[in-house]
């Protein structure tokens, strides 16, 4: 079954304690991205990756890091989490056929992060 | 920059009512347009898409027509069901750019 898997689904942590949210896809997609979803703000892109070892900032990258060492994995790293990073996070992947125009983005089920 | 504006929710309807969720966009060139749906506790799923002006996307009884003259992509369904209760996101992808720009989402609540 084609899917994007995020772990963990729920996480409560304390300010300043480094954490990693993992994302893995089994569709051999080149493109992967991370979004955060906040009430009244919709989805905002944090980082994206066009392929292995190629990453770029989205709209709200501050406080986050990513890496793309393998095609299937795209972890999101919060080196020093703060309460304003409390949010619902989604990983997504899609294939590239030129631009993104005709390809569907597949989303993970989300990770609800609370930073206290 | 690119932007997508959706009507604010929640939209509350009775079963079998007609649904319209408005979406307008601002983008350079000729973007592709999408509607994604998020059911409670789940990730987003593609509902329908249109890649050029006057295209109509359709799926599961939902329809949306790409109107370049009004820069709109309104979502419609003739008869909603309780199972359609979800958050609906309008999005665009601009030619040459591999990112999706989302609207803020519109919650739909359908009562029996």
């Amino acid at each position: 079954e084609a899917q994007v898997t995020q772990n963990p689904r729920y996480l409560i942590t304390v300010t300043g304690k480094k954490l990693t949210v993992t994302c893995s896809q089994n569709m051999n997609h080149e493109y992967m991205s991370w979004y955060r979803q906040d009430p009244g703000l919709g989805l905002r892109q944090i980082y994206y990756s066009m392929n292995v070892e190629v990453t770029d900032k989205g709209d709200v990258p501050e406080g986050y890091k990513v890496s793309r060492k393998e095609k299937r994995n795209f972890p999101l790293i919060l080196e020093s989490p703060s309460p304003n990073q409390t949010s619902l996070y989604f990983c997504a992947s899609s294939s590239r056929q030129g631009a993104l125009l005709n390809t569907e983005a597949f989303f993970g089920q989300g990770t609800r992060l609370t930073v206290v | 920059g690119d932007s997508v504006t959706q009507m604010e929710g929640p939209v509350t309807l009775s079963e079998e009512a007609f649904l319209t969720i408005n979406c307008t966009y601002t983008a350079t060139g000729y973007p592709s347009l999408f509607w994604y749906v998020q059911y409670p506790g789940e990730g987003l799923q593609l509902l329908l898409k249109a890649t050029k002006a006057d295209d109509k996307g359709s799926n599961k009884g939902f329809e949306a027509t790409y109107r370049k003259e009004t820069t709109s992509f309104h979502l419609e369904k003739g008869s909603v069901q309780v199972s359609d209760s979800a958050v609906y996101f309008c999005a665009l992808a601009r030619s040459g750019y591999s990112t999706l720009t989302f609207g803020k989402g519109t919650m739909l609540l359908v009562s029996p």
Side-chain angles (χ1 to χ4, degrees), chain A residues 7-77:
Chain A
N7 280 297
R9 292 288 310 277
Y10 302 91
L11 179 60
I12 301 175
T13 191
V14 295
T15 299
K17 185 177 182 183
K18 181 179 179 179
L19 66 92
T20 299
V21 183
T22 64
C23 174
S24 180
Q25 51 93 3
N26 62 0
M27 295 166 280
N28 201 36
H29 285 165
E30 295 85 358
Y31 181 84
M32 298 184 74
S33 60
W34 277 101
Y35 295 87
R36 59 178 289 173
Q37 183 179 15
D38 301 289
L41 297 176
L43 277 86
R44 294 178 293 169
Q45 191 177 56
I46 303 170
Y47 268 95
Y48 64 94
S49 170
M50 307 283 266
N51 214 326
V52 176
E53 302 292 1
V54 181
T55 63
D56 210 344
K57 297 177 180 178
D59 298 320
V60 288
E62 293 78 19
Y64 304 95
K65 285 176 58 177
V66 293
S67 69
R68 188 87 182 274
K69 292 183 169 49
E70 304 166 282
K71 198 172 188 179
R72 63 182 292 125
N73 296 323
F74 190 46
L76 179 69
I77 303 157

Side-chain angles (χ1 to χ4, degrees), chain B residues 9-69:
Chain B
V11 174
T12 304
L13 296 173
S14 298
E15 205 164 26
E16 299 183 2
F18 184 85
L19 168 71
T20 300
I21 299 178
N22 291 336
C23 171
T24 57
Y25 69 90
T26 302
T28 305
Y30 302 92
S32 286
L33 302 173
F34 305 82
W35 277 101
Y36 279 82
V37 58
Q38 182 181 31
Y39 298 104
E42 298 185 11
L44 282 72
Q45 305 171 26
L46 179 65
L47 181 59
L48 53 84
K49 66 182 181 185
T51 58
K52 60 184 187 294
D54 299 324
D55 266 2
K56 177 185 282 189
S58 61
N59 186 26
K60 300 181 181 179
F62 290 90
E63 293 183 339
T65 301
Y66 188 161
R67 301 286 189 200
K68 186 158 180 63
E69 64 276 13

